[in-house]
Amino acid sequence: MFWVGIWRAIYKTVKWTMVVVLLSLISVTTPIFANVGVFLFDIFSKITLDNHTKKPTATVILGGGLTKKEGKIVLNHYSQSRADTAIMRYDGTPIITSGAESPWLLDYIKSALPNSVVISDNASMNTCENAVFTAKLLAHHELTTNVYLVTDRYHMARARRQFAKMGIDTVPQPAPLAISLSWRDIDANLMHSRRAVYEAAALMRDIFRPQTNCRTMQEISLEEISTPRRQPKIFSELDHE
């Protein structure tokens, strides 16, 4: 009887493990996993962040990277989607571009919004520095610490948390990924699922083992923040993704 009980316990464990694995495989290859992930990210933000109602006085775009196209350096699909979102929702407030992509973002935005005010943070190397250097620019330009924040929906919770740590209240403006979720496109769903998993892991890291490579306001000057490391091609030479 003892061994029968052991085998039954093993059988149940294996059975339920297989069920969990099967359901997990189904969820990550459909829109379910990514959408549930975003729902949980949103819940996390609502629980951990204060709800402020002041109108934002600036829009912050977080760079998502660069790529090469026909031998030219251009915005990758993350960065371009974020820029397009900010352009579409432009309300006349100054735009802060944050990250090494800033020169390219500035060119792109100015081509669509020639009269806009664009302030560049060219020095940020990670989300923590995005928040730190944005805070420094807001203070320098005498703007309030209330901003629209533009990034993709998976990155939003982690980014908002970092900005809140710097005393910046954010109104999320999520930018879509280039490839949409689809019940018929497994590859697209897997890409979204991987993005959700990555951001969940990064959020946990930020909470339990904060980054040590995040420079402070005192460690970098406004001149360094405003000086691009590389110059972009002029926008007229860029190809749209």
Side-chain angles (χ1 to χ4, degrees), residues 166-213:
M166 293 306 302
I168 302 173
D169 300 323
T170 53
V171 176
Q173 290 192 337
L177 299 189
I179 302 174
S180 301
L181 288 164
S182 169
W183 288 98
R184 297 182 179 180
D185 191 338
I186 291 177
D187 289 339
N189 298 328
L190 283 172
M191 182 192 74
H192 281 261
S193 295
R194 285 194 298 269
R195 186 87 179 111
V197 169
Y198 172 85
E199 285 300 334
L203 179 59
M204 292 300 101
R205 178 208 62 198
D206 285 355
I207 293 171
F208 296 108
R209 293 189 63 183
Q211 293 172 259
T212 58
N213 61 339

Side-chain angles (χ1 to χ4, degrees), residues 70-116:
E70 298 178 359
K72 302 171 186 175
I73 297 176
V74 297
L75 299 173
N76 69 5
H77 64 89
Y78 292 107
S79 293
Q80 184 169 327
S81 176
R82 296 172 191 183
D84 287 338
T85 298
I87 290 167
M88 180 180 64
R89 300 185 178 185
Y90 180 63
D91 65 350
T93 58
I95 295 172
I96 297 176
T97 59
S98 187
E101 306 85 353
S102 285
W104 287 265
L105 285 168
L106 185 148
D107 254 3
Y108 190 86
I109 292 165
K110 280 291 189 179
S111 72
L113 304 170
N115 297 321
S116 60

Side-chain angles (χ1 to χ4, degrees), residues 25-216:
L25 287 173
I26 292 172
S27 68
V28 299
T29 56
T30 68
I32 295 173
F33 185 89
N35 285 329
V36 169
V38 170
F39 173 76
L40 294 175
F41 288 148
D42 289 344
I43 292 295
F44 174 82
S45 293
K46 288 177 181 177
I47 292 172
T48 59
L49 302 180
D50 293 331
N51 185 21
H52 295 274
T53 57
K54 292 182 180 178
K55 181 175 173 58
T57 57
T59 297
V60 180
I61 306 172
L62 305 187
L66 300 166
T67 189
K68 276 191 175 182
K69 185 176 183 181
E70 298 178 359
K72 302 171 186 175
I73 297 176
V74 297
L75 299 173
N76 69 5
H77 64 89
Y78 292 107
S79 293
Q80 184 169 327
S81 176
R82 296 172 191 183
D84 287 338
T85 298
I87 290 167
M88 180 180 64
R89 300 185 178 185
Y90 180 63
D91 65 350
T93 58
I95 295 172
I96 297 176
T97 59
S98 187
E101 306 85 353
S102 285
W104 287 265
L105 285 168
L106 185 148
D107 254 3
Y108 190 86
I109 292 165
K110 280 291 189 179
S111 72
L113 304 170
N115 297 321
S116 60
V117 174
V118 182
I119 303 165
S120 292
D121 152 30
N122 304 276
S124 294
M125 298 297 292
N126 51 50
T127 305
C128 177
E129 291 187 349
N130 289 145
V132 172
F133 301 157
T134 294
K136 188 159 186 167
L137 288 173
L138 290 173
H140 176 71
H141 291 278
E142 298 182 344
L143 297 168
T144 67
T145 54
N146 301 85
V147 304
Y148 294 111
L149 185 61
V150 184
T151 186
D152 67 74
R153 66 180 192 155
Y154 304 105
H155 184 223
M156 188 65 74
R158 183 162 67 96
R160 293 188 70 197
R161 179 178 180 274
Q162 292 288 359
F163 274 68
K165 288 174 66 177
M166 293 306 302
I168 302 173
D169 300 323
T170 53
V171 176
Q173 290 192 337
L177 299 189
I179 302 174
S180 301
L181 288 164
S182 169
W183 288 98
R184 297 182 179 180
D185 191 338
I186 291 177
D187 289 339
N189 298 328
L190 283 172
M191 182 192 74
H192 281 261
S193 295
R194 285 194 298 269
R195 186 87 179 111
V197 169
Y198 172 85
E199 285 300 334
L203 179 59
M204 292 300 101
R205 178 208 62 198
D206 285 355
I207 293 171
F208 296 108
R209 293 189 63 183
Q211 293 172 259
T212 58
N213 61 339
C214 182
R215 290 169 289 177
T216 66

